[in-house]
């Protein structure tokens, strides 16, 4: 996973105590780590990284109320929420389900970018692009339609793994990603005719009606709670018979949950309903694991829909 975000407090002594606390946290001495973090915060009361880490430790120690208080202070200290304190408040039941802060997602993947492909492929058995590729080919084959796409938009393109999977099927690839670090890596792949730093919905909104033949999102919609806006925009930019293909994480219940890995999981029922409301025809909805996490396959869905 990415390197841990650290925002200096501006106080050298507070920063050093934070570093010692992190070492103790990693070694499992949580009470001592919490004590050092509290000392650090006394020196720098708006030290977002210290408040966030204290929230994590208090949650690990089973003190929900104090964890919530620390995460709230982290959020107050950094309203852009680059640490993702708000997501932890959702997990603790102290905040309503909401979309992820853009600053958090951008920071997460900017840190992750240099090691992204190596970690996903070698450590996590990542296969979302290949799942999408096979599902699209199967759906087009069943409909007796060609699996060649003149213009394709890759949402949350990352370093270009989805573009690599579809390289022989696409004439013109457009990559969209919120992370400048990921866009830098994608540019080095030489797979994209165009690259754009934007979130997925913003990226689609800049595209003309019926301007794409394929829209793909490999392991990207897991960072969206409500899929309606992105599905609506995807339908608008797709030409007639254009295809939308993506992977999700899923769960046994209904609706949407924020999982332990701080990614959204969507139920199959929710996905069917969202596809229908967006005016798309569902072609494929299959259980498929996009990656391994904690030595277990992540429960997921591969989805293919068409604009009729």
């Amino acid at each position: 996973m990415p390197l841990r975000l650290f925002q200096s407090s501006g106080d050298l002594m507070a920063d050093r105590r934070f570093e010692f606390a992190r070492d103790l946290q990693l070694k499992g001495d949580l009470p001592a780590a919490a004590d050092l973090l509290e000392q650090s915060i006394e020196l720098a009361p708006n030290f977002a990284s210290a408040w966030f880490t204290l929230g994590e430790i208090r949650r690990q120690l089973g003190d929900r109320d104090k964890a919530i208080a620390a995460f709230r202070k982290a959020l107050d200290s950094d309203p852009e929420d680059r640490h993702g304190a708000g997501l932890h408040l959702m997990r603790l039941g102290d905040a309503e389900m909401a979309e992820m802060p853009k600053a958090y997602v951008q920071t997460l993947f900017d840190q992750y970018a240099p090691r992204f492909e190596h970690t996903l492929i070698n450590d996590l058995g990542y296969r979302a692009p290949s799942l999408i590729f096979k599902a699209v080919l199967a759906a087009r084959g069943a409909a007796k339609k060609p699996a060649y796409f003149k213009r394709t938009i890759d949402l949350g393109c990352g370093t270009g793994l989805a573009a690599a999977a579809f390289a022989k099927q696409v004439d013109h690839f457009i990559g969209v990603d919120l992370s400048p670090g990921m866009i830098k890596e994608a540019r080095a792949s030489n797979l994209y005719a165009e690259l754009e730093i934007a979130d997925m919905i913003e990226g689609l909104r800049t595209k003309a009606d019926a301007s794409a033949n394929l829209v793909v999102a490999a392991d990207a919609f897991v960072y969206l709670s409500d899929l309606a806006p992105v599905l609506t925009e995807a339908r608008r930019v797709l030409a007639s018979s254009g295809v939308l293909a993506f992977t999700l994480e899923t769960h046994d219940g209904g609706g949407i949950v924020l999982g332990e890995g701080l990614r959204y999981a969507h139920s199959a029922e929710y996905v069917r309903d969202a596809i229908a409301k967006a005016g798309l025809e569902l072609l494929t909805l299959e259980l498929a694991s996009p990656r391994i996490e904690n030595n277990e396959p992540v429960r997921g869905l591969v989805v293919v829909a068409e604009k009729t």
Side-chain angles (χ1 to χ4, degrees), residues 27-305:
K27 291 173 182 176
D29 192 348
L30 301 183
D35 182 61
L36 271 176
L37 288 169
E38 287 167 356
Q39 293 177 34
S40 181
I41 290 163
E42 285 180 10
L43 295 169
N46 295 315
F47 192 177
S49 293
W51 279 117
F52 179 81
T53 305
L54 184 59
E56 289 184 311
I57 289 173
R58 286 173 170 172
R59 179 182 53 78
Q60 288 175 278
L61 290 171
D63 195 334
R64 177 180 176 274
D65 290 344
K66 286 187 176 181
I68 287 171
F71 285 129
R72 284 180 180 170
K73 289 293 290 185
L75 192 53
D76 290 342
S77 301
D78 178 22
E80 291 188 345
D81 198 14
R82 283 165 284 189
H83 292 83
L87 299 175
H88 287 273
L89 291 172
M90 289 183 219
R91 287 277 302 164
L92 288 165
D94 187 64
E96 296 295 322
M97 185 74 70
E99 297 300 333
M100 292 190 186
K102 290 182 183 179
Y104 165 75
V105 177
Q106 186 178 76
T107 301
L108 179 72
F109 284 100
D110 275 348
Q111 291 177 288
Y112 205 179
R115 300 183 297 123
F116 182 76
E117 285 195 21
H118 182 273
T119 301
L120 280 183
I121 295 169
N122 296 309
D123 298 341
L124 302 178
Y126 181 65
R127 61 193 194 105
S130 65
L131 288 173
I132 292 173
F133 177 72
K134 291 174 184 176
V136 168
L137 262 59
R140 297 295 274 191
K144 296 182 169 55
K145 294 180 180 179
Y148 176 79
F149 305 94
K150 186 176 180 181
R151 288 176 66 84
T152 294
I153 301 172
D154 184 3
L155 298 175
C157 66
T159 60
L161 293 173
F166 280 90
K168 294 181 180 179
Q169 318 300 130
V170 171
D171 185 38
H172 186 101
F173 248 119
I174 302 166
V176 177
D177 202 288
L178 186 58
S179 162
M182 287 295 190
I183 290 292
K184 180 181 177 182
E185 298 291 328
R187 185 169 288 113
S189 74
N190 293 316
L191 291 167
Y192 295 92
E194 302 175 46
L195 285 163
E196 179 179 349
I197 299 171
D199 74 26
M200 291 180 278
I201 298 168
E202 289 170 347
L204 287 172
R205 284 176 179 160
T206 64
K207 309 299 181 288
D209 293 0
S211 61
N213 310 102
L214 173 66
V215 175
V216 297
D219 218 22
F221 287 178
V222 296
Y223 297 97
L224 297 175
S225 171
D226 181 7
L227 296 183
V230 75
L231 295 180
T232 299
E233 284 300 313
R235 185 188 184 281
R236 182 187 62 77
V237 304
L238 282 171
S240 180
S241 296
V243 173
L244 168 66
F246 56 93
T247 55
L248 291 168
E249 294 184 14
T250 194
H251 63 107
D252 287 329
I256 309 153
V257 299
L258 181 64
E260 188 176 347
L262 300 185
R263 297 182 299 272
Y264 298 107
H266 301 79
S267 72
E269 179 185 6
Y270 171 90
V271 176
R272 287 191 188 94
D273 185 56
I275 291 283
K277 286 180 177 177
L280 294 161
E281 180 183 353
L282 183 62
L283 303 180
T284 305
L285 179 65
E286 296 176 349
L287 289 170
S289 175
R291 67 163 95 187
I292 303 295
E293 196 164 273
N294 298 322
N295 297 315
E296 294 288 339
V298 172
R299 296 188 60 204
L301 298 168
V302 58
V303 183
V304 181

